[in-house]
Amino acid sequence: MGDDMAGIVKKLGHQKVDVLGYSLGGGVALRFAVQHPEMVRRLALVSAGYAQNGFHPEMLPMQAQVGAGMAEQMKGTPMYQSYVAVAPKPADFRSSSIKWARGCASPTTGPRT
């Protein structure tokens, strides 16, 4: 998702930005800073895990279940409603779920997307 953020920043016409990430957004912000350090002037992470061992162990199996297979079940959730309210392509929720699940599985070392 770091590459996705870089695309958004470029599309908005910025070369360097200050980044604040909260929770999952903190993981995205960290990935953005690691993958594109030349675009980040300042980075602040709030309530964000940066490594898998930073999560409560009982949460890991639940996070591992989130992905494309759950996209249909999530359509009634506040997360989905928030996504479709601002997403330029709401139909991409399924592929976004895959990226989110990969990020949860390995916040800093997961595959680049």
Side-chain angles (χ1 to χ4, degrees), residues 12-35:
L12 291 172
H14 300 290
Q15 292 180 3
K16 200 163 208 154
V17 295
D18 297 335
V19 182
L20 168 72
Y22 171 75
S23 190
L24 172 62
V28 174
L30 180 60
R31 289 292 301 265
F32 174 49
V34 168
Q35 291 174 244

Side-chain angles (χ1 to χ4, degrees), residues 58-73:
E58 62 273 13
M59 290 183 65
L60 297 176
M62 290 181 275
Q63 288 176 336
Q65 292 176 9
V66 176
M70 289 194 63
E72 193 63 35
Q73 296 171 351

Side-chain angles (χ1 to χ4, degrees), residues 12-97:
L12 291 172
H14 300 290
Q15 292 180 3
K16 200 163 208 154
V17 295
D18 297 335
V19 182
L20 168 72
Y22 171 75
S23 190
L24 172 62
V28 174
L30 180 60
R31 289 292 301 265
F32 174 49
V34 168
Q35 291 174 244
H36 302 277
E38 73 285 357
M39 298 180 77
V40 178
R41 182 174 47 206
R42 294 184 187 123
L43 174 66
L45 306 177
V46 181
S47 192
Y50 61 87
Q52 206 170 31
N53 65 1
F55 290 94
H56 294 287
E58 62 273 13
M59 290 183 65
L60 297 176
M62 290 181 275
Q63 288 176 336
Q65 292 176 9
V66 176
M70 289 194 63
E72 193 63 35
Q73 296 171 351
M74 294 177 72
K75 286 192 174 178
T77 67
M79 180 180 166
Y80 176 79
Q81 298 304 320
S82 296
Y83 178 87
V84 297
V86 298
K89 297 179 186 175
D92 288 349
F93 181 73
R94 185 175 192 277
S95 61
S96 295
S97 298

